[in-house]
Amino acid sequence: MDTSSHRVYMDHAGTTSMDKRVLDVMEPYFVQIFGNGSSIHSVGQEARRAGDDSREKIAQILGSRPREVIFTSGGTESDNTAIKGVSHALRSTGNHIITSSIEHHAVLHTCQHLEDNGFEVTYLPVDAHGSISSKELSENIRDTTILVSIMLANNEIGTIQPISEISKIVKNEAKKQNRTIVMHTDAVQAAGMIAFDVNNLGVDMLSLSAHKFHGPKGMGILYCRRGVPCDPQLLGGTQERGRRAGTENIPGIVGTAEALSIAHNDREKVATECARLRDILIDGIRNSIPNVHLNGHPTQRLPNNVHFSFERVEGEPILLALDMAGICASSGSACSSGSLEPSHVVLATGQSAELARGTLRLTLGKENTDVDVDRVAVLPEIVSNLREMPTLV
């Protein structure tokens, strides 16, 4: 069967297509308004105004000041800058960091790097739904704690953490100790799906990545509250008020602001429709395939996230069979694709390594329809056929 004419894309947690409206607003800044935003001549200043306007637009959405918005190359750089920048800036006051066991590798690998350089890191466990315990967080804050980094929504299983509650715990403890403890959240999966006003969340720093909300690849945002100590990780210029050196990517900045504005304005409509399709998928898979396990919180999860573990079958052959049927999906984080290791996120929820290898993630987007969901009806046959295949001993 030729499926190329109607390929179903359900890997929006991996990346999204660029919205045509975003491409349209970026185009003039590649060719016509091409100046360096740091130049004082008119061509450069025209580009700078576009960057400043974009920063203002993003700040209004975040509930922040424009000066608190830093443009980066993506979520990985934003996470790295927040964690390493704060840790080095506050090294004289403490060396302890708290994060969770299910963070993106951009956070985990950065924390592990810091451990190699004299910092101490507590990796909070999660329950079977991927939720951390606020009580356990509170009990692990020390008089040497300088940073807490907990993701807003998990990129694999979709569980949403109570960041507002967590932020209050961190700030209350910092006040009692009369010292600075910075609260950071990786909100990369949240944009366009759940609200993330920085004041309601109570965070000091927040990471976003444009290609997750139909913006350009290679662009990210780091919100850094005024007064938060954070050493720059890229040196060599005064761009971003000295916090991130390098010539401003004006087309990318303009596109990022437009994409975030569209995602913000359309969020309720898109999230509601994705949640409806998500629930159809979850119910359909549960009712048609035996011995499956829904991963992530049953209610406190991203509106577009479906993540299952299948007994007696591995995830990779499921993905290959789905792709042959014209359906693009994944088993988890795209940053871990190619790894034979089971997902650290699924393992952290208490599943066995064998079950953690049999995962499937379907993540919906604004283009998906009921017709697309109906196409996933091939999945029961795929799983059944794979389970019947003889295993090599």
Coordinates of all heavy atoms in Angstrom, one line a residue, residues 165-215:
E165 N 3.9 24.8 43.0 CA 4.0 24.3 44.4 C 5.5 24.0 44.7 O 6.0 24.4 45.8 CB 3.3 22.9 44.5 CG 3.4 22.3 45.9 CD 2.7 20.9 45.9 OE1 1.8 20.7 45.1 OE2 3.0 20.2 46.9
I166 N 6.3 23.5 43.8 CA 7.7 23.2 44.0 C 8.4 24.6 44.2 O 9.3 24.7 45.1 CB 8.2 22.4 42.8 CG1 7.7 21.0 42.8 CG2 9.8 22.4 42.8 CD1 8.0 20.2 41.5
S167 N 8.1 25.6 43.4 CA 8.8 26.9 43.5 C 8.5 27.5 44.8 O 9.4 28.1 45.4 CB 8.3 27.8 42.4 OG 8.6 27.3 41.1
K168 N 7.3 27.4 45.4 CA 7.0 27.9 46.7 C 7.8 27.2 47.8 O 8.3 27.9 48.7 CB 5.5 27.7 47.0 CG 4.6 28.7 46.2 CD 3.1 28.4 46.5 CE 2.2 29.3 45.6 NZ 0.8 28.9 45.8
I169 N 8.0 25.9 47.7 CA 8.8 25.2 48.6 C 10.2 25.7 48.6 O 10.9 26.0 49.6 CB 8.8 23.7 48.4 CG1 7.4 23.2 48.6 CG2 9.8 22.9 49.2 CD1 7.1 21.7 48.2
V170 N 10.8 25.9 47.4 CA 12.2 26.3 47.2 C 12.3 27.7 47.8 O 13.3 28.0 48.5 CB 12.6 26.2 45.7 CG1 13.9 26.9 45.5 CG2 12.6 24.8 45.2
K171 N 11.4 28.6 47.4 CA 11.5 30.0 47.9 C 11.4 30.1 49.4 O 12.0 31.0 50.0 CB 10.5 30.9 47.1 CG 10.8 31.0 45.6 CD 12.2 31.4 45.4 CE 12.7 31.2 43.9 NZ 14.1 31.5 43.7
N172 N 10.5 29.4 49.9 CA 10.3 29.4 51.4 C 11.5 28.9 52.1 O 11.9 29.5 53.1 CB 9.1 28.6 51.8 CG 7.7 29.2 51.4 OD1 7.7 30.4 51.2 ND2 6.7 28.4 51.3
E173 N 12.1 27.9 51.6 CA 13.3 27.4 52.2 C 14.5 28.3 52.1 O 15.3 28.5 53.0 CB 13.7 26.0 51.6 CG 14.8 25.3 52.3 CD 14.4 24.9 53.7 OE1 13.2 24.6 54.0 OE2 15.3 24.9 54.6
A174 N 14.6 29.0 50.9 CA 15.6 30.0 50.7 C 15.5 31.2 51.6 O 16.4 31.7 52.2 CB 15.6 30.5 49.2
K175 N 14.2 31.6 51.9 CA 13.9 32.7 52.8 C 14.3 32.3 54.2 O 14.9 33.1 54.9 CB 12.4 33.0 52.7 CG 12.1 34.3 53.5 CD 10.6 34.7 53.2 CE 10.3 35.9 54.0 NZ 8.8 36.3 53.8
K176 N 14.0 31.1 54.6 CA 14.3 30.6 56.0 C 15.9 30.6 56.2 O 16.4 30.9 57.2 CB 13.8 29.2 56.2 CG 12.3 29.2 56.6 CD 11.9 27.8 57.2 CE 12.0 26.7 56.2 NZ 11.5 25.4 56.8
Q177 N 16.6 30.2 55.1 CA 18.0 30.1 55.2 C 18.7 31.5 54.9 O 19.9 31.6 55.1 CB 18.6 29.1 54.3 CG 18.1 27.7 54.6 CD 18.8 26.7 53.6 OE1 19.8 26.9 53.0 NE2 18.2 25.5 53.5
N178 N 17.9 32.4 54.5 CA 18.4 33.8 54.1 C 19.6 33.7 53.1 O 20.6 34.2 53.2 CB 18.9 34.5 55.3 CG 19.2 36.0 55.0 OD1 18.6 36.6 54.2 ND2 20.1 36.6 55.8
R179 N 19.3 32.9 52.0 CA 20.3 32.7 51.0 C 19.5 32.5 49.6 O 18.3 32.3 49.6 CB 21.2 31.5 51.3 CG 20.4 30.2 51.5 CD 21.3 29.1 52.2 NE 22.5 28.9 51.5 CZ 22.6 28.0 50.4 NH1 21.5 27.4 50.1 NH2 23.7 27.9 49.8
T180 N 20.3 32.5 48.6 CA 19.7 32.3 47.2 C 19.7 30.9 46.8 O 20.7 30.2 46.8 CB 20.6 33.1 46.2 OG1 20.5 34.5 46.5 CG2 20.0 32.9 44.8
I181 N 18.5 30.4 46.4 CA 18.3 29.1 45.8 C 17.5 29.4 44.5 O 16.4 29.8 44.6 CB 17.6 28.1 46.6 CG1 18.3 27.9 48.0 CG2 17.5 26.7 45.9 CD1 17.5 26.9 48.9
V182 N 18.1 29.1 43.4 CA 17.5 29.4 42.1 C 16.6 28.3 41.6 O 17.0 27.1 41.7 CB 18.6 29.7 41.0 CG1 18.0 29.9 39.6 CG2 19.4 31.0 41.4
M183 N 15.4 28.6 41.1 CA 14.5 27.6 40.6 C 14.4 27.7 39.1 O 14.0 28.7 38.5 CB 13.1 27.9 41.2 CG 12.0 26.9 40.8 SD 12.3 25.2 41.3 CE 11.5 24.3 40.0
H184 N 14.8 26.6 38.5 CA 14.8 26.5 37.0 C 13.8 25.4 36.6 O 13.7 24.4 37.2 CB 16.2 26.2 36.5 CG 16.2 25.8 35.0 ND1 16.4 24.5 34.6 CD2 16.0 26.5 33.9 CE1 16.4 24.4 33.3 NE2 16.2 25.6 32.8
T185 N 13.1 25.7 35.4 CA 12.3 24.6 34.8 C 12.6 24.5 33.3 O 12.7 25.5 32.6 CB 10.8 24.8 35.1 OG1 10.1 23.7 34.7 CG2 10.3 26.0 34.4
D186 N 12.7 23.3 32.9 CA 12.8 23.0 31.4 C 11.3 22.9 31.0 O 10.6 21.9 31.3 CB 13.5 21.7 31.2 CG 13.6 21.2 29.8 OD1 12.7 21.6 29.0 OD2 14.5 20.4 29.4
A187 N 10.9 23.9 30.2 CA 9.5 23.9 29.8 C 9.4 23.7 28.3 O 8.4 24.1 27.6 CB 8.8 25.3 30.1
V188 N 10.4 23.0 27.7 CA 10.4 22.9 26.3 C 9.2 22.2 25.7 O 8.7 22.6 24.6 CB 11.7 22.0 25.9 CG1 11.6 21.5 24.5 CG2 13.0 22.9 26.1
Q189 N 8.6 21.2 26.4 CA 7.4 20.6 25.9 C 6.1 21.3 26.1 O 5.1 20.9 25.7 CB 7.3 19.1 26.4 CG 8.5 18.2 26.0 CD 8.4 17.9 24.5 OE1 7.4 18.0 23.8 NE2 9.5 17.6 23.9
A190 N 6.2 22.4 26.9 CA 4.9 23.0 27.4 C 4.3 24.0 26.4 O 3.1 24.2 26.3 CB 5.2 23.7 28.7
A191 N 5.2 24.6 25.6 CA 4.7 25.7 24.7 C 3.6 25.2 23.8 O 3.8 24.2 23.1 CB 5.9 26.3 23.9
G192 N 2.5 26.0 23.8 CA 1.4 25.6 22.9 C 0.5 24.6 23.4 O -0.5 24.3 22.8
M193 N 0.9 24.0 24.6 CA 0.1 22.9 25.2 C -0.5 23.2 26.6 O -1.6 22.9 26.9 CB 0.9 21.6 25.2 CG 1.1 21.0 23.9 SD -0.4 20.4 23.1 CE 0.0 20.5 21.4
I194 N 0.4 23.8 27.4 CA -0.1 24.3 28.8 C 0.5 25.7 29.0 O 1.4 26.1 28.4 CB 0.4 23.3 29.9 CG1 1.9 23.1 29.9 CG2 -0.3 21.9 29.7 CD1 2.4 22.2 31.0
A195 N -0.2 26.4 30.0 CA 0.2 27.7 30.3 C 1.6 27.7 31.1 O 1.8 26.8 31.8 CB -0.8 28.4 31.2
F196 N 2.4 28.7 30.8 CA 3.7 28.8 31.5 C 4.1 30.2 31.8 O 5.3 30.6 31.6 CB 4.8 28.0 30.7 CG 4.9 28.5 29.3 CD1 5.8 29.5 29.0 CD2 4.2 27.9 28.3 CE1 6.0 30.0 27.7 CE2 4.3 28.4 27.0 CZ 5.2 29.4 26.7
D197 N 3.2 31.0 32.3 CA 3.5 32.3 32.8 C 4.6 32.2 34.0 O 4.3 31.5 34.9 CB 2.3 33.0 33.3 CG 2.5 34.4 33.8 OD1 3.1 34.5 35.0 OD2 2.2 35.4 33.1
V198 N 5.7 32.9 33.8 CA 6.8 32.7 34.8 C 6.4 33.1 36.2 O 6.9 32.6 37.2 CB 8.1 33.4 34.3 CG1 8.6 32.8 33.0 CG2 7.8 34.9 34.2
N199 N 5.5 34.1 36.3 CA 5.1 34.5 37.7 C 4.2 33.5 38.3 O 4.3 33.3 39.5 CB 4.5 35.9 37.6 CG 5.5 37.0 37.1 OD1 6.6 37.1 37.7 ND2 5.2 37.6 36.0
N200 N 3.2 33.0 37.6 CA 2.4 32.0 38.1 C 3.1 30.7 38.5 O 2.8 30.0 39.5 CB 1.3 31.6 37.1 CG 0.3 32.7 36.9 OD1 0.2 33.6 37.8 ND2 -0.4 32.7 35.8
L201 N 4.1 30.4 37.7 CA 5.0 29.2 38.0 C 5.9 29.5 39.2 O 6.4 28.6 39.9 CB 5.8 28.8 36.8 CG 5.0 28.2 35.6 CD1 6.0 28.0 34.4 CD2 4.3 26.9 36.0
G202 N 6.3 30.8 39.3 CA 7.2 31.1 40.4 C 8.7 30.8 40.2 O 9.5 30.8 41.1
V203 N 9.0 30.6 38.9 CA 10.4 30.2 38.6 C 11.3 31.4 38.4 O 10.9 32.5 38.0 CB 10.4 29.3 37.3 CG1 9.7 28.0 37.6 CG2 9.8 30.0 36.1
D204 N 12.6 31.2 38.5 CA 13.6 32.2 38.3 C 14.2 32.1 36.8 O 14.6 33.0 36.3 CB 14.8 32.0 39.2 CG 14.4 32.2 40.7 OD1 13.8 33.2 41.0 OD2 14.6 31.3 41.5
M205 N 14.1 30.8 36.3 CA 14.7 30.6 35.0 C 13.8 29.6 34.3 O 13.2 28.7 34.9 CB 16.1 30.1 35.0 CG 17.0 31.0 35.8 SD 18.8 30.4 35.8 CE 19.3 31.2 34.3
L206 N 13.6 29.7 32.9 CA 12.8 28.8 32.2 C 13.3 28.6 30.8 O 13.7 29.6 30.2 CB 11.4 29.3 32.1 CG 10.3 28.6 31.4 CD1 8.9 28.7 32.1 CD2 10.1 29.1 29.9
S207 N 13.4 27.4 30.3 CA 13.9 27.1 29.0 C 12.8 26.7 28.0 O 11.9 26.0 28.3 CB 14.9 25.9 29.1 OG 15.9 26.1 30.0
L208 N 13.0 27.2 26.7 CA 12.1 26.9 25.6 C 12.9 26.6 24.4 O 14.1 27.1 24.3 CB 11.1 28.0 25.4 CG 10.1 28.3 26.4 CD1 9.4 29.6 26.1 CD2 9.1 27.2 26.6
S209 N 12.4 25.9 23.4 CA 13.0 25.6 22.2 C 12.0 25.8 21.0 O 10.9 25.2 21.0 CB 13.5 24.1 22.1 OG 14.2 23.9 21.0
A210 N 12.4 26.6 20.1 CA 11.4 27.1 19.0 C 10.9 26.0 18.2 O 9.7 26.0 17.8 CB 12.1 28.2 18.2
H211 N 11.7 25.0 17.9 CA 11.2 24.0 16.9 C 10.2 23.0 17.5 O 9.6 22.2 16.8 CB 12.4 23.1 16.4 CG 13.0 22.1 17.3 ND1 12.7 20.8 17.2 CD2 13.8 22.2 18.3 CE1 13.4 20.1 18.1 NE2 14.1 21.0 18.8
K212 N 9.9 23.2 18.8 CA 8.9 22.4 19.5 C 7.5 23.1 19.3 O 6.5 22.4 19.6 CB 9.2 22.2 21.0 CG 10.5 21.5 21.3 CD 10.6 20.1 20.8 CE 11.9 19.5 21.3 NZ 12.0 18.0 20.9
F213 N 7.5 24.3 18.9 CA 6.2 25.0 18.7 C 6.1 25.7 17.3 O 5.7 26.8 17.2 CB 5.9 26.0 19.8 CG 7.0 27.0 20.2 CD1 7.2 28.2 19.5 CD2 7.9 26.7 21.2 CE1 8.2 29.1 19.8 CE2 8.9 27.6 21.5 CZ 9.0 28.8 20.9
H214 N 6.5 24.9 16.3 CA 6.4 25.3 14.9 C 7.3 26.5 14.5 O 6.9 27.3 13.7 CB 4.9 25.5 14.5 CG 4.1 24.3 14.7 ND1 4.0 23.3 13.7 CD2 3.3 23.9 15.7 CE1 3.2 22.3 14.2 NE2 2.8 22.7 15.4
G215 N 8.4 26.7 15.3 CA 9.3 27.7 15.0 C 10.6 27.2 14.3 O 10.6 26.0 14.0

